[in-house]
Amino acid sequence: MPNQPLSPQSSDAPQNPGTGKPVTGLRRVPVLPVRDTVLFPHAVLPLTVGRESSIQLIESLSEERTIAVAAQIDARQDTPGPKDMHEIGTLATVHKIVRMPNQSRFVFTEGVERVRLVRYVQTEPFLIAEVEPLAGEEAAGDADTEALERVVVSEFQQIVSESPTLSDELKSIVSTIESAERLVDFVSSSLPFLTTEDKQKLLETVETRTRLEMLNTHLAKEIEVQQLRAKIQNEVQDQVQQSQRDYYLREQMKAIQKELGEQDEGQRETDELRKKIDDAQMPEDVKKEALKELSRLSRMSPMAADYSLTRNYIEWLAVLPWAKSTGSKIDISKAKETLDEDHYELKKVKDRILDYLSVLELKPDMKGPILCFVGPPGVGKTSLGKSIARALGRKFQRVSLGGMHDEAEIRGHRRTYIGALPGQIIQSIRRAETNDPVIMLDEIDKLGRDFRGDPASALLETLDPEQNNTFRDNYLDVPFDLSKVLFICTANMLDTVPAPLLDRMEIIPLQGYSEEEKLHIANRYLIPRQITANGITPEQIEFPEEATRHLIRHYTREAGVRKLEQVIGTVCRKEARRVVEGKTEKIAVTKELLKEFLGNILVRVDTEVEERVNRPGVAVGLAWTPAGGDILFIEANKMKGKGGFTMTGQIGEVMQESMQAALTWVRSNYTLLGLDEDFNKDLDLHIHVPAGAIPKDGPSAGVTMTTVLASLLTDTPVRPLTAMTGEITLSGNVLPVGGIKEKFLAARRAGIQTIILPAENRQDVEEDLTPEMTAGVDIHYAKHIEDVLAVALPLLKARPDAVPIDAERGATAAA
């Protein structure tokens, strides 16, 4: 049916519904559904119209503006139909329509008479129904009816007098109403405590006497409620002081509960907390403190400022696992199997964990060790902690310390602060729900420090097995035993860790992986994990060993395997896309396919060293970084000048001093190199360390700088594919350096065939490097710089009295 202005449809419909004259016959009018609202005749009701259908109804009204207002049966219905509406409503006149900023309409309606919605003739875009007047059956004018009317008027006036929300004018208005029917409509529309259901029943009831009796019942009930409220107020008035107005309503509630015979909620909370304290099996001194706080809480008003703070404190004490341990039986063979299943190699770490488990089996009350895994990113420090927890059968919790700069993050805030909480240690214990979890303190080398305190110092007590059995969090302020917790810290480097904290931890280095180890890890862990993670199966993709080696060698340059897993994931995603596009045949990854999926190779390990070290004055050093080992090119050049010496490449003070020491040795041993005594009188020398954007420091490049200067000044190229590391003294001694495994693996990745190391680092090679790692590489050990030059500059004429560098002297050994 089209949306057009509406007017009465029957010929006998009245011309002015607002006159109050009886309406006979059926007429068609639009129906406005309302929620939780009932409009009575002769009552003015403002309505907010927001539904689209209702707005269209209001906009379509003609000048007469007559509608039927009916309540929905279910107020939650957004689009009510005929079956969702009450049968009885009210014919109303719309006096004023106001457009609101949110596109809704504010409508002032006045009820005219009750009507029955006989039949709906339209449902879209809004409801239209045929209605007929609902004529009330006037009560007989006997004495009983008149008495009932007077009782209703009297009760209504009494309610108005005692209600703070109803206007006193209503008392005078109700006394002037003569019609019983109108009296019921006026009183019903004026009472705010009547429910929508009660108002609808009053509207639907035909017989006037029955309506009066129903209204009398509601009024009598409200008067009784008002009297009970007054009684409650009188009972609590003596207790409420002028300064206690804040909890006035709470006291009223207590009195209401007393009338109903219900238990006080505060007492119930106290009983629950007391039961939790008894069940927590706290130490006696802690339990004494908890009961003391509970006693304070029971005497405190729930509206008091400290009530919630004290309650939260008691909750924290009660919920901590004071005596709850994992208590699982230790199975050494199963633990070893779990560690081997999750991680490849790492023999030292696994042995240390199995040693700890063995002692724990013999001495269950032993204190937990404080382990610190140190190594470059991607070698499995964090995942190893999870694996240890699984092997022990304990809960695992991880706390990230990176960027933490507030001491309260470790030891908590004092309860005097708003929003105070325990520190991360106690919170981890609560989450684990046992007092012997494995807690990993990740990135301990990246702790911050500012005016709020030093978290590293706060960790001193936590990580000391002699002290942490009485760890005292600032929030709890009672001792908690952390001696059963297995703390595992991780770090990329130890330079930034304070010495006292370092002294409390057992350092376990996790060194970088060789190519063979990466190949095993990729085949055993990374490739299956990425195939599963990307929704494909091993039947759809295959990684041959040659392709995996190509990935490791030319698309990653790292000590760990994190980047390797990323590129394997990229290849798997490419295959997943092929599968989705309908190419279901199995692919074997090849070098050509890797180039298609990943682009050109990123690391040229075979030719880079050979291309750059093909002239005098260039040598390859070995460096250690937090990300693992790396090769370091050092270049030197000479020009006419006055004996100047320039050092560039964003190098630190220690490295600059090594350069000065190298130059001093060369100048003091000019005869060994076949140089003139004043060879640098008319020369300026310049040493540069490329990759100038990267800061570099340390003494381990001393032998490389000496070799570079000797090569430049004697015009002798360094032996091809040779790298070296070691600190040099002014007397020419070669001192040991650290990071041998990382440096050796970096040299292997770069295609180095000859490596010169300090003689005192021989034991590091024998302990950390396997025969598979050293295969194909000549390792030379040097005690003096002359030993280095004999290997690095074989074309250099040796001094007449030089001793041949052989195995007897202990300066060289080939692997």
Side-chain angles (χ1 to χ4, degrees), residues 519-533:
L519 183 66
H520 279 288
I521 292 170
N523 290 331
R524 188 170 170 182
Y525 304 103
L526 307 184
I527 293 175
R529 187 160 65 206
Q530 285 301 316
I531 287 176
T532 304

Side-chain angles (χ1 to χ4, degrees), residues 666-683 713-714:
V666 169
R667 290 181 61 185
S668 62
N669 293 272
Y670 65 92
T671 55
L672 176 66
L673 301 175
L675 301 174
D676 297 332
E677 183 176 1
D678 55 352
F679 67 89
N680 65 331
K681 178 181 178 183
D682 299 322
L683 291 177
L713 295 171
T714 60

Side-chain angles (χ1 to χ4, degrees), residues 502-550:
L502 202 60
D503 184 57
R504 284 164 166 77
M505 301 185 292
E506 182 178 341
I507 308 300
I508 299 179
L510 293 180
Q511 295 157 333
Y513 297 115
S514 66
E515 184 177 307
E516 290 299 322
E517 290 173 334
K518 289 183 180 180
L519 183 66
H520 279 288
I521 292 170
N523 290 331
R524 188 170 170 182
Y525 304 103
L526 307 184
I527 293 175
R529 187 160 65 206
Q530 285 301 316
I531 287 176
T532 304
N534 288 284
I536 56 179
T537 63
E539 288 72 30
Q540 294 170 323
I541 189 170
E542 179 185 356
F543 284 82
E545 181 178 326
E546 183 184 358
T548 308
R549 286 187 185 276
H550 189 70

Side-chain angles (χ1 to χ4, degrees), residues 683-714:
L683 291 177
D684 279 350
L685 298 178
H686 184 169
I687 291 187
H688 177 66
V689 185
I694 302 173
K696 297 167 279 289
D697 203 1
S700 65
V703 297
T704 315
M705 296 166 186
T706 307
T707 304
V708 165
L709 290 173
S711 169
L712 175 70
L713 295 171
T714 60

Side-chain angles (χ1 to χ4, degrees), residues 194-207:
L194 286 181
T195 64
T196 304
E197 184 180 354
D198 293 335
K199 289 184 178 181
Q200 185 66 32
K201 285 181 180 178
L202 284 166
L203 185 71
E204 292 176 354
T205 304
V206 176
E207 189 175 347

Side-chain angles (χ1 to χ4, degrees), residues 74-268:
D74 185 359
R76 295 170 296 182
Q77 183 64 254
D78 289 328
T79 55
K83 66 179 186 308
D84 302 314
M85 306 296 296
H86 283 289
E87 184 182 357
I88 306 300
T90 305
L91 198 67
T93 300
V94 178
H95 287 297
K96 187 176 181 181
I97 302 173
V98 180
R99 295 175 182 271
M100 305 301 288
N102 61 356
Q103 305 304 319
S104 63
R105 307 290 187 271
F106 196 69
V107 181
F108 290 86
T109 58
E110 180 181 1
V112 177
E113 64 177 351
R114 295 183 292 164
V115 291
R116 184 187 307 276
L117 281 64
V118 179
R119 184 170 63 90
Y120 285 85
V121 297
Q122 174 181 308
T123 59
E124 295 291 338
F126 49 81
L127 300 175
I128 296 180
E130 292 182 344
V131 303
E132 66 177 1
L134 185 68
E137 296 179 10
E138 279 291 334
D142 55 4
D144 289 344
T145 304
E146 184 175 351
L148 188 56
E149 289 179 26
R150 291 184 182 182
V151 169
V152 167
V153 171
S154 173
E155 289 176 337
F156 178 73
Q157 290 177 335
Q158 181 179 348
I159 289 173
V160 171
S161 299
E162 296 181 3
S163 173
T165 59
L166 297 177
S167 172
D168 289 338
E169 293 180 359
L170 297 176
K171 293 193 292 184
S172 57
I173 294 174
V174 74
S175 62
T176 62
I177 298 176
E178 297 178 354
S179 167
E181 189 78 4
R182 182 125 182 219
L183 174 66
V184 174
D185 291 338
F186 176 80
V187 174
S188 300
S189 63
S190 302
L191 294 177
F193 60 84
L194 286 181
T195 64
T196 304
E197 184 180 354
D198 293 335
K199 289 184 178 181
Q200 185 66 32
K201 285 181 180 178
L202 284 166
L203 185 71
E204 292 176 354
T205 304
V206 176
E207 189 175 347
T208 303
R209 181 178 178 84
T210 304
R211 298 181 75 197
L212 282 169
E213 289 172 350
M214 292 170 61
L215 190 58
N216 178 45
T217 301
H218 290 305
L219 293 172
K221 182 179 178 182
E222 178 61 15
I223 289 174
E224 185 178 348
V225 170
Q226 286 187 342
Q227 290 173 347
L228 183 58
R229 184 186 298 127
K231 177 186 174 185
I232 293 170
Q233 288 176 341
N234 290 334
E235 286 182 357
V236 301
Q237 194 166 6
D238 294 336
Q239 303 173 20
V240 178
Q241 302 294 329
Q242 189 67 23
S243 61
Q244 296 174 321
R245 288 184 177 273
D246 291 342
Y247 64 92
Y248 177 71
L249 294 176
R250 183 69 63 180
E251 293 296 327
Q252 282 190 324
M253 187 177 294
K254 284 184 179 180
I256 292 172
Q257 289 173 339
K258 182 179 177 181
E259 287 289 331
L260 297 175
E262 294 181 356
Q263 184 187 12
D264 180 19
E265 188 170 343
Q267 182 62 39
R268 186 166 60 249

Side-chain angles (χ1 to χ4, degrees), residues 237-457:
Q237 194 166 6
D238 294 336
Q239 303 173 20
V240 178
Q241 302 294 329
Q242 189 67 23
S243 61
Q244 296 174 321
R245 288 184 177 273
D246 291 342
Y247 64 92
Y248 177 71
L249 294 176
R250 183 69 63 180
E251 293 296 327
Q252 282 190 324
M253 187 177 294
K254 284 184 179 180
I256 292 172
Q257 289 173 339
K258 182 179 177 181
E259 287 289 331
L260 297 175
E262 294 181 356
Q263 184 187 12
D264 180 19
E265 188 170 343
Q267 182 62 39
R268 186 166 60 249
E269 274 193 4
T270 303
D271 293 342
E272 289 175 359
L273 289 173
R274 191 182 304 278
K275 185 177 185 304
K276 287 182 180 180
I277 292 172
D278 292 336
D279 294 342
Q281 300 180 27
M282 304 175 181
E284 281 303 317
D285 55 339
V286 178
K287 186 174 183 179
K288 182 180 179 181
E289 179 69 21
L291 292 175
K292 175 184 172 185
E293 291 294 325
L294 185 62
S295 176
R296 283 186 61 234
L297 184 72
S298 64
R299 298 192 303 270
M300 201 179 295
S301 165
M303 297 300 293
D306 287 347
Y307 184 85
S308 61
L309 301 178
T310 305
R311 188 184 185 282
N312 288 342
Y313 174 72
I314 298 172
E315 284 274 8
W316 268 100
L317 287 178
V319 80
L320 287 176
W322 297 94
K324 184 180 177 183
S325 302
T326 305
S328 57
K329 178 70 175 174
I330 297 172
D331 188 338
I332 298 296
S333 58
K334 185 179 178 181
K336 185 177 187 304
E337 183 182 328
T338 302
L339 292 172
D340 289 339
E341 180 184 326
D342 292 346
H343 289 81
Y344 179 75
E345 287 295 329
L346 304 178
K347 186 174 183 302
K348 284 185 180 178
V349 183
K350 293 177 181 177
D351 285 345
R352 179 62 185 89
I353 298 302
L354 295 175
D355 293 347
Y356 164 68
L357 290 179
S358 302
V359 177
L360 191 64
E361 175 75 11
L362 300 175
K363 193 174 187 297
D365 59 342
M366 74 167 291
K367 297 175 181 177
I370 313 295
L371 306 180
C372 182
F373 298 154
V374 182
V379 296
K381 299 184 294 295
T382 303
S383 60
L384 186 59
K386 296 179 182 177
S387 180
I388 291 171
R390 199 160 73 89
L392 291 171
R394 296 188 185 182
K395 298 287 185 67
F396 176 79
Q397 290 294 319
R398 175 180 167 273
V399 178
S400 178
L401 300 180
M404 188 180 290
H405 45 65
D406 189 353
E407 175 260 349
E409 290 283 344
I410 303 294
R411 304 185 62 176
H413 297 81
R414 299 195 180 279
R415 279 190 288 154
T416 52
Y417 294 105
I418 295 175
L421 281 174
Q424 289 292 334
I425 304 298
I426 293 297
Q427 290 189 39
S428 298
I429 295 288
R430 177 179 180 174
R431 288 192 295 268
E433 298 179 344
T434 62
N435 62 4
D436 60 347
V438 176
I439 296 182
M440 171 159 281
L441 303 177
D442 219 359
E443 311 292 357
I444 197 170
D445 57 325
K446 298 174 181 62
L447 279 171
R449 179 180 183 177
D450 63 8
F451 64 93
R452 284 169 288 192
D454 183 5
S457 299

